Amino acid sequence: MSISWPLLLVILGTLFDLSEAKAFFVFGDSLVDSGNNNYLESTARADSPPYGIDYPTHQPTGRFSNGLNLPDIISEYLGSESTLPYLSPELQGEKLLVGANFASAGIGILNDTGVQFISIIRITRQLEFFQQYQQRLSSLVGPDQTQQIVNNGLVLIALGGNDFVNNYYLVPDSARSQEYSLPEYVKFLISEYKKILARLYELGARRVMVTGTGPLGCVPSELALRSQNGECNPELQQAGDLFNPQLVTALNELNKQYGSDVFVTANAFKMHSDFLNNPQDFGFVTSKEACCGQGPYNGLGLCNQFSNLCPNRDTYAFWDAFHPTERATRLIASQFMTGSTEYMNPMNLSTILAMDARN
């Protein structure tokens, strides 16, 4: 069968577009998991209503959100479709060129974080899957093109919050809190995180956005468990105050070591704090109460069909006991895109995209 010249141009153009598009790779926990835990025997799942109530299909997807999550919105900025969960059977063929989401709800920097959730993809395993992904992509486009796609791709990694909430502070006198004082624990976490990021670099990542922890003491779960009158828990706030500056220092050290701005700090603490401290300025009626949940601040138990559910998710900063609504996530994502160095250091995503377009 002969192919007409115009059709051949269309086919070649499509392949060129696919090869030139910036792939997107996501690692981390429930803030960025797009559904990997749906495929696991895990208790950390978001695969039942009302999760996904505002997603385009109005169905739960495994995202810990009423709608889109942070990777989805960054994909919009990239002009690309959302990356599929790595465990999704749909992730094959040309879909591999878009990238992959390796994140898994419940995990942390440490392998003992999240053991209560049973089956989760710990970060070491996520990095193994990234290697596996590259082998699969190499079968499709060859090793040279694979290396180029990975080197030119964008990476988002979100870790650290669970190491405090679901490990150090999970129960009074936890094993880790017996082993380390908080300052020592933070130093330990940072040293382990540096190893993870160095491994990402070894695997070819050259543009990595690294989120610090948000205001952990201000989430509805912690308000319900630890707050007397709605104030943020000082211990968990202190954890972020210690962790985030040391993470910035670690990323600067790695960038100096590699002689390039590989790692970009995303100041999630400030991004969240802006609208948590002044919710009305951002159109929220509350930044303390979750839209979906039970108990004080809707911060207890799981978000499910028996939960209280707010009628308008756009007026709530928090969707469930831990995670922001889609609208709050869009505010966070806008700082990723255009935020000053106070939010994204040494550069924001629009600067990264402009620089990479010129190279």
Side-chain angles (χ1 to χ4, degrees), residues 36-90:
N36 278 309
N37 280 23
N38 287 0
Y39 302 95
L40 304 173
E41 293 297 322
S42 173
T43 55
R45 297 166 75 107
D47 59 346
S48 59
Y51 283 102
I53 189 170
D54 300 307
Y55 192 76
T57 59
H58 306 293
Q59 297 295 317
T61 61
R63 291 162 174 81
F64 287 77
S65 173
N66 58 303
L68 302 181
N69 65 5
L70 184 60
D72 294 320
I73 297 161
I74 291 174
S75 291
E76 286 180 0
Y77 287 136
L78 297 177
S80 180
E81 60 192 86
S82 291
T83 50
L84 287 168
Y86 185 68
L87 298 183
S88 169
E90 293 176 40

Side-chain angles (χ1 to χ4, degrees), residues 263-293:
F263 298 103
V264 173
T265 311
N267 188 342
F269 197 96
K270 176 150 181 56
M271 292 175 187
H272 283 81
S273 294
D274 284 351
F275 58 79
L276 295 188
N277 294 336
N278 301 293
Q280 281 73 31
D281 292 355
F282 294 87
F284 296 119
V285 295
T286 176
S287 62
K288 296 185 185 298
E289 191 174 324
C291 170
C292 182

Side-chain angles (χ1 to χ4, degrees), residues 17-180:
D17 286 345
L18 285 168
S19 67
E20 289 300 303
K22 186 179 276 295
F24 185 31
F25 307 104
V26 181
F27 302 85
D29 56 27
S30 59
L31 290 167
V32 291
D33 182 358
S34 294
N36 278 309
N37 280 23
N38 287 0
Y39 302 95
L40 304 173
E41 293 297 322
S42 173
T43 55
R45 297 166 75 107
D47 59 346
S48 59
Y51 283 102
I53 189 170
D54 300 307
Y55 192 76
T57 59
H58 306 293
Q59 297 295 317
T61 61
R63 291 162 174 81
F64 287 77
S65 173
N66 58 303
L68 302 181
N69 65 5
L70 184 60
D72 294 320
I73 297 161
I74 291 174
S75 291
E76 286 180 0
Y77 287 136
L78 297 177
S80 180
E81 60 192 86
S82 291
T83 50
L84 287 168
Y86 185 68
L87 298 183
S88 169
E90 293 176 40
L91 186 66
Q92 53 187 314
E94 289 183 353
K95 296 282 187 188
L96 290 165
L97 295 164
V98 178
N101 186 317
F102 304 93
S104 175
I107 72 136
I109 295 165
L110 305 180
N111 279 334
D112 59 307
T113 291
V115 290
Q116 67 272 34
F117 300 122
I118 311 170
S119 174
I120 50 180
I121 312 168
R122 292 180 169 78
I123 191 61
T124 46
R125 186 73 175 135
Q126 290 184 27
L127 295 173
E128 288 170 9
F129 279 158
F130 189 34
Q131 271 184 291
Q132 201 180 87
Y133 160 87
Q134 292 184 39
Q135 291 161 3
R136 291 171 63 191
L137 185 60
S138 187
S139 300
L140 185 71
V141 297
D144 292 344
Q145 182 76 350
T146 294
Q147 186 178 352
Q148 188 181 345
I149 288 167
V150 172
N151 289 164
N152 293 340
L154 183 72
V155 174
L156 172 67
I157 183 165
L159 286 174
N162 283 328
D163 295 287
F164 295 106
V165 173
N166 285 312
N167 191 329
Y168 196 83
Y169 290 111
L170 179 64
V171 291
D173 302 319
S174 68
R176 286 296 189 186
S177 66
Q178 293 292 296
E179 187 180 4
Y180 294 102

